[in-house]
């Protein structure tokens, strides 16, 4: 089995919550250094800087998304003959706007990062980087002897 197949399998398993829990329980000593490296890199990479910069630039877009969500909820309530309190409508509109803003922000950040040749730090990427490292090998051998 080559390295890319192992990494792809890890990525698929990490996305499934049941497999993720089993990986952490059964592979604790193997996952421990991967999680440590991931947490140390997360938020400190170039991708995060690009994403934060774009977030500052797109604040107006967030306001527009909120206004669109209010219009959408108003028309939806009118169509279904439902009434919603102003507080509940505001809360739901904010949730919709935040979700849409996050999706747009992430997509634009990925696009801009690709222009600079930068990639996001993910658990799969950390696993791929550490797959041949002596630290991961040491912890894997350590657990196999016990």
């Amino acid at each position: 089995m080559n390295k890319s197949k192992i990494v792809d399998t890890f990525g698929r398993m990490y996305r499934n919550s049941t497999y993720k829990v089993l990986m952490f329980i059964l592979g604790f000593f193997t996952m421990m250094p991967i999680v440590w490296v991931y947490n140390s890199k997360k938020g400190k990479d170039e991708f995060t800087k690009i994403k934060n910069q774009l977030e500052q630039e797109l604040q107006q877009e967030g306001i527009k998304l909120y206004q669109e969500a209010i219009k959408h909820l108003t028309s939806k309530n009118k169509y279904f003959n439902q009434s919603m309190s102003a507080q509940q409508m505001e809360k739901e509109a904010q949730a919709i706007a935040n979700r849409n803003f996050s999706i747009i922000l992430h997509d634009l950040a990925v696009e801009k990062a690709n222009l600079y040749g930068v990639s996001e730090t993910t658990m799969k990427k950390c696993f791929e980087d550490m797959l041949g490292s002596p630290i991961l090998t040491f912890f894997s051998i350590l657990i196999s002897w016990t």
Side-chain angles (χ1 to χ4, degrees):
M1 195 174 222
N2 61 10
K3 185 177 177 179
S4 66
K5 285 184 180 179
I6 293 171
V7 171
D8 289 341
T9 302
F10 175 82
R12 284 194 308 274
M13 289 175 68
Y14 192 76
R15 285 190 299 265
N16 185 319
S17 59
T18 306
Y19 285 131
K20 185 189 295 188
V21 170
L22 286 173
M23 276 193 314
F24 278 99
I25 292 172
L26 299 175
F28 179 74
F29 289 104
T30 303
M31 289 298 292
M32 192 170 52
I34 296 169
V35 171
W36 181 74
V37 168
Y38 172 71
N39 286 334
S40 67
K41 288 182 178 181
K42 184 178 70 173
K44 299 173 188 165
D45 57 344
E46 287 296 317
F47 183 83
T48 304
K49 292 176 186 174
I50 291 171
K51 193 171 181 177
N52 290 339
Q53 178 188 10
L54 279 173
E55 187 174 9
Q56 296 301 320
E57 294 172 6
L58 295 175
Q59 288 300 323
Q60 286 296 87
E61 185 72 25
I63 294 169
K64 289 178 188 174
L65 289 172
Y66 176 74
Q67 292 168 345
E68 288 175 13
I70 290 283
K71 287 179 187 175
H72 173 73
L73 287 173
T74 305
S75 64
K76 176 182 154 189
N77 288 336
K78 186 183 268 187
Y79 180 78
F80 289 112
N81 292 327
Q82 295 176 338
S83 62
M84 189 182 279
S85 68
Q87 188 179 23
Q88 186 180 5
M89 184 178 287
E90 184 177 322
K91 183 179 177 182
E92 214 171 305
Q94 191 67 41
I96 292 168
N98 286 342
R99 185 175 51 246
N100 291 341
F101 184 76
S102 295
I103 291 168
I104 291 169
L105 177 65
H106 187 266
D107 291 346
L108 288 174
V110 167
E111 199 174 290
K112 191 171 183 178
N114 286 340
L115 292 174
Y116 294 120
V118 176
S119 62
E120 183 177 10
T121 299
T122 61
M123 187 69 83
K124 180 180 173 182
K125 185 163 175 17
C126 288
F127 178 74
E128 182 178 10
D129 293 344
M130 291 192 66
L131 194 55
S133 78
I135 295 170
L136 188 65
T137 305
F138 172 74
F139 276 102
S140 297
I141 292 171
L142 178 74
I143 193 61
S144 67
W145 283 351
T146 47

